[in-house]
Amino acid sequence: MPEDADDVMGVITQQIEARFQMPLADLRRAVAAAPRANDDATVVVKWHGMLAEAQEALNKAEDALVAALDTAPGDVLDDPVMALAHQVNAAVAVRDGRAMVVRHYTDPNSPGRRGPGAWRGAETAPRRGPALTTAPAPIMPAPAVSVRGAQR
């Protein structure tokens, strides 16, 4: 595994372990034993597994690109090599997206995770009045209209 991959997976793993106060392997076993005990733990374990799969796909794509670059003649990159480069870019995007999801679930203060309107456990906050004082619009009398030829 490349060094920067260890950094990404290592940082995410440390965040998970800090959030749940246990090693990742123990957390996986706890979720397997009781998946409904803690929804956040279950989701984090699921997404961490998906993140690990994405990292493995990225590693393979990078290895294929490096091998193609080693055998490519000259400085001009042909279509197959460019396709591999695009595959690496896509794999990075998938890995980074999954890492963001895991980070979202490990941070209890991330947007949408606290307060009214949070995804889970939404609490109804006491309603406050409007930010500005408002009054009903004044009722204006209708203008007098005369119509010729109309009888009352």
Side-chain angles (χ1 to χ4, degrees):
M1 199 178 275
E3 189 173 307
D4 58 334
D6 288 336
D7 291 344
V8 170
M9 294 302 292
V11 167
I12 297 292
T13 300
Q14 287 174 354
Q15 290 173 347
I16 292 170
E17 291 174 346
R19 165 72 170 83
F20 294 100
Q21 297 296 307
M22 67 174 61
L24 184 58
D26 292 348
L27 183 63
R28 282 188 185 129
R29 284 191 291 275
V31 165
R36 297 201 187 271
N38 185 324
D39 289 338
D40 283 345
T42 302
V43 170
V44 166
V45 167
K46 171 190 166 192
W47 278 96
H48 186 271
M50 293 170 58
L51 173 62
E53 290 172 4
Q55 182 62 55
E56 184 61 32
L58 173 58
N59 292 343
K60 289 178 182 178
E62 287 174 335
D63 292 343
L65 177 60
V66 168
L69 288 172
D70 286 342
T71 60
D75 292 339
V76 178
L77 300 178
D78 58 356
D79 288 341
V81 173
M82 288 304 295
L84 289 172
H86 290 299
Q87 187 177 1
V88 168
N89 284 340
V92 168
V94 169
R95 191 267 323 261
D96 290 351
R98 291 179 181 181
M100 285 192 296
V101 171
V102 173
R103 290 189 70 190
H104 171 76
Y105 281 108
T106 57
D107 181 4
N109 296 319
S110 64
R113 306 257 311 139
R114 293 184 51 173
W119 292 345
R120 287 192 192 91
E123 300 173 10
T124 55
R127 297 232 356 133
R128 298 183 299 176
L132 301 173
T133 55
T134 59
I139 299 174
M140 305 297 284
V145 178
S146 68
V147 178
R148 292 185 189 189
Q151 294 181 350
R152 283 191 170 185

